[in-house]
Amino acid sequence: MGKYFDFERFIDTIPKIIPQLSVTFSIVLVSMIVGTVLAIAVAVLRIQRIPVLHQILGIYISFMRGTPLLVQMMVVYYGLPLLVQGLFGININTWSTIIFVDIAFILNEGAFLGEIFRSAILSIPPIQSEAGYSIGMTRLQTFTRIVLPQTIRIIIPSYGVDLIGVFQNTSLVFTIGGVLDIMGKAKTLGTATGHALEAYLVVALIFIILSLILRFLFFLINQKLQYERR
Amino acid sequence: MIEITHLKKSFGKQEVLKDVSFKIQKGQVVTILGPSGSGKTTFLRCINFLERAEEGELRIGDTRINLRKASRKEILNVRRRTAFVFQNYGLFYHKTALQNVMEGLVVVQKIPKDEARKRAEAALEWVGLSNRKDFYPSQLSGGQQQRVGIARAVALNPEVILFDEPTSALDPEWVGETLDVIKKVAKKGITMIIVTHEMSFAEEVSDKVVFMDGGSVVEEGTPKEIFTNPKEERTKKFLARIIPQDMYYI
């Protein structure tokens, strides 16, 4: 067995894990982009308080925020094929596992970011919309040109925190069969060699570096977007 | 010409406007006076559909619009023919003074950007703010912000501009410059409806003065009639309360 921790082995493990970052990044990228679009839609629809839909979205959000992501992933992975089979008679069991992971992450982000967007939109003074309407803009123009840009400036810090959270959440995806992100790779290496600690430390190091980079990045974006202080 | 007939509006059980009718000729300046809570601001907001009236009809030019049932298209049509100057300026926080003025020209009137920029620059120069065109609202004083608001309204070249207490939120030192700009707008011959508490300004600038109280028009007439010889008891009382204070300020 040798030493419990070996620095050389640690170094050797790094290049074996790094390539799997692409899997991690792809999950984060897809879930953030589609999740943000979903979140804006959820936020806007919630604010409109359309009967029935409002309650359905309320249940969706409380489910997403009230259950662990791991559970949500399992529900999507095992439940969605049954649902689709039952409703449309289509077999989606053949889909790649990563698609189910993406769907679970997107739904999760739609709820979390949706609430962030909702409170940010509500914090924009109504006079901003009224001014848009008064110059003859449509509701859509007023939302996309006046309200949304101001909303984005408000949510940048929370968005950054959320993004870092999503990165860390990807460490759960290996529990669903066949997804080899950095965490999944570390586990496989650990099983194959009998030395798990080095691989997990590499993963930890990657997450630390990523979160530091992202924090710095969002700090810069936030600075740049403060129109009051330019 | 703009005419509003039988306008009614309530907030919950509170009846804010009780059957208000109102007429303004092209090029006229009409000021609406009255104690707070008399429904002046609500009246103005109903014209621009920032509040939805329960009853009433609006005639603007040859168009007749039911104030309660107006469709989105009709509302847009009215808003594109009018402009609104807000008590709290209502400038877009994330846009510079120039962009604030350009926004409606580019997005609503579809004027090419270069042309819109020229017009916006001219409008800002006209209100004396060319040197502030790249400033954000938060970098401007209240008076400057309101002048941008007026430039934004004027640049749209509307048939009527609605002013909702344009100087009420301003520090006293900025009131004068803002009123001067509004007088300039009046001289241009633009139709204006102004809700204000500035009595001497109203007397100077108006063709007609409307006194509102308790959600109704109590009295209307020329500035001379209203200020020197009011007929209604409520108008007399209101003016007696307001005018000495006004003079005290000056």
Side-chain angles (χ1 to χ4, degrees):
Chain A
M1 250 310 211
K3 279 190 286 186
Y4 195 65
F5 177 79
D6 186 274
F7 190 70
E8 237 170 78
R9 203 155 46 219
F10 175 77
I11 299 292
D12 289 344
T13 313
I14 294 175
K16 289 178 190 153
I17 289 182
I18 292 282
Q20 297 319 113
L21 260 177
S22 63
V23 177
T24 305
F25 277 124
S26 89
I27 296 167
V28 171
L29 203 68
V30 170
S31 63
M32 284 316 273
I33 292 172
V34 187
T36 301
V37 175
L38 177 65
I40 294 172
V42 167
V44 171
L45 289 172
R46 285 265 287 169
I47 289 169
Q48 309 253 334
R49 293 187 160 272
I50 302 160
V52 186
L53 188 63
H54 184 72
Q55 280 76 13
I56 293 173
L57 288 175
I59 293 168
Y60 157 69
I61 285 170
S62 73
F63 176 78
M64 287 297 161
R65 302 215 299 182
T67 55
L69 178 61
L70 187 59
V71 174
Q72 293 163 18
M73 273 172 19
M74 296 299 176
V75 169
V76 170
Y77 186 59
Y78 294 107
L80 193 62
L82 287 178
L83 189 71
V84 173
Q85 180 84 55
L87 286 178
F88 309 106
I90 301 165
N91 180 17
I92 58 168
N93 268 317
T94 50
W95 283 8
S96 136
T97 313
I98 196 91
I99 293 176
F100 293 100
V101 169
D102 284 341
I103 291 173
F105 269 70
I106 288 165
L107 289 175
N108 187 270
E109 278 309 289
F112 275 86
L113 284 177
E115 286 298 277
I116 293 175
F117 268 104
R118 189 173 69 100
S119 64
I121 290 171
L122 289 176
S123 76
I124 307 293
I127 194 173
Q128 292 291 312
S129 298
E130 288 178 356
Y133 299 147
S134 81
I135 61 170
M137 289 164 99
T138 62
R139 283 168 58 151
L140 185 67
Q141 285 170 335
T142 305
F143 181 73
T144 54
R145 299 192 52 93
I146 308 300
V147 177
L148 200 55
Q150 296 187 32
T151 305
I152 287 168
R153 284 179 160 108
I154 292 176
I155 65 158
I156 286 291
S158 345
Y159 200 84
V161 172
D162 186 82
L163 177 59
I164 291 169
V166 174
F167 260 107
Q168 294 174 3
N169 281 342
T170 59
S171 64
L172 292 171
V173 302
F174 78 96
T175 50
I176 291 189
V179 181
L180 219 56
D181 70 316
I182 50 173
M183 190 65 176
K185 183 72 182 174
K187 180 147 172 65
T188 328
L189 284 174
T191 316
T193 61
H195 298 283
L197 183 61
E198 289 86 352
Y200 286 135
L201 283 177
V202 170
V203 171
L205 190 68
I206 291 174
F207 276 124
I208 289 169
I209 292 170
L210 275 176
S211 101
L212 285 178
I213 292 173
L214 285 172
R215 272 172 62 184
F216 182 64
L217 216 64
F218 271 85
F219 172 76
L220 288 183
I221 295 173
N222 200 30
Q223 289 269 304
K224 204 163 166 65
L225 287 184
Q226 296 298 322
Y227 35 86
E228 296 89 357
R229 294 190 212 114
R230 258 198 296 219
Chain B
M1 188 199 69
I2 288 163
E3 187 176 8
I4 292 109
T5 40
H6 306 300
L7 174 55
K8 286 183 191 167
K9 170 77 188 169
S10 316
F11 291 120
K13 281 183 182 158
Q14 175 81 24
E15 229 185 334
V16 186
L17 294 171
K18 307 165 184 164
D19 196 11
V20 176
S21 294
F22 179 96
K23 206 173 184 177
I24 178 168
Q25 300 298 332
K26 195 170 182 334
Q28 262 194 339
V29 177
V30 176
T31 48
I32 305 177
L33 311 177
S36 46
S38 58
K40 314 177 295 285
T41 292
T42 308
F43 174 72
L44 219 53
R45 288 170 63 86
C46 282
I47 300 178
N48 219 21
F49 293 96
L50 295 176
E51 303 287 352
R52 188 59 85 110
E54 270 119 47
E55 242 175 79
E57 194 186 65
L58 169 69
R59 248 182 75 198
I60 173 165
D62 294 332
T63 324
R64 284 168 179 276
I65 290 153
N66 184 317
L67 283 171
R68 188 166 77 97
K69 295 182 193 151
S71 67
R72 268 189 202 182
K73 225 175 163 181
E74 287 175 315
I75 292 174
L76 220 53
N77 177 27
V78 171
R79 285 177 176 160
R80 286 179 179 174
R81 296 165 69 174
T82 59
F84 204 96
V85 175
F86 293 88
Q87 182 176 354
N88 295 310
Y89 332 126
L91 296 187
F92 306 127
Y93 291 153
H94 61 307
K95 292 184 181 290
T96 62
L98 186 69
Q99 290 167 339
N100 261 280
V101 182
M102 279 175 69
E103 185 72 8
L105 299 176
V106 175
V107 178
V108 178
Q109 303 190 348
K110 314 278 182 215
I111 295 168
K113 264 203 169 152
D114 290 339
E115 168 69 17
R117 183 187 308 274
K118 270 184 215 151
R119 282 206 210 174
E121 277 170 353
L124 284 175
E125 194 183 339
W126 193 72
V127 299
L129 286 173
S130 342
N131 57 343
R132 292 282 185 278
K133 67 181 162 80
D134 294 323
F135 284 47
Y136 285 87
S138 55
Q139 298 165 316
L140 299 171
S141 74
Q144 290 168 338
Q145 287 189 59
Q146 193 56 293
R147 277 148 66 196
V148 175
I150 295 167
R152 180 171 72 182
V154 172
L156 291 166
N157 204 10
E159 290 172 42
V160 57
I161 304 181
L162 312 167
F163 289 82
D164 180 20
E165 304 194 25
T167 58
S168 298
L170 296 176
D171 289 340
E173 52 177 325
W174 308 122
V175 171
E177 60 177 43
T178 309
L179 292 179
D180 285 343
V181 170
I182 301 174
K183 284 179 204 162
K184 250 176 108 174
V185 182
K187 282 197 192 110
K188 263 188 134 180
I190 298 176
T191 315
M192 309 199 287
I193 305 174
I194 309 172
V195 170
T196 184
H197 290 294
E198 300 287 334
M199 295 303 145
S200 46
F201 164 75
E203 193 168 3
E204 186 188 334
V205 82
S206 325
D207 298 303
K208 185 166 97 173
V209 176
V210 175
F211 175 70
M212 276 179 76
D213 192 15
S216 314
V217 173
V218 175
E219 188 173 354
E220 56 179 86
T222 63
K224 208 173 168 192
E225 283 166 358
I226 298 289
F227 286 106
T228 57
N229 191 19
K231 292 188 192 70
E232 299 290 328
E233 202 51 41
R234 278 192 285 177
T235 319
K236 283 180 196 166
K237 268 191 184 161
F238 174 75
L239 292 173
R241 247 183 326 157
I242 294 288
I243 294 208
Q245 283 176 5
D246 204 35
M247 280 157 70
Y248 178 76
Y249 266 114
I250 295 165

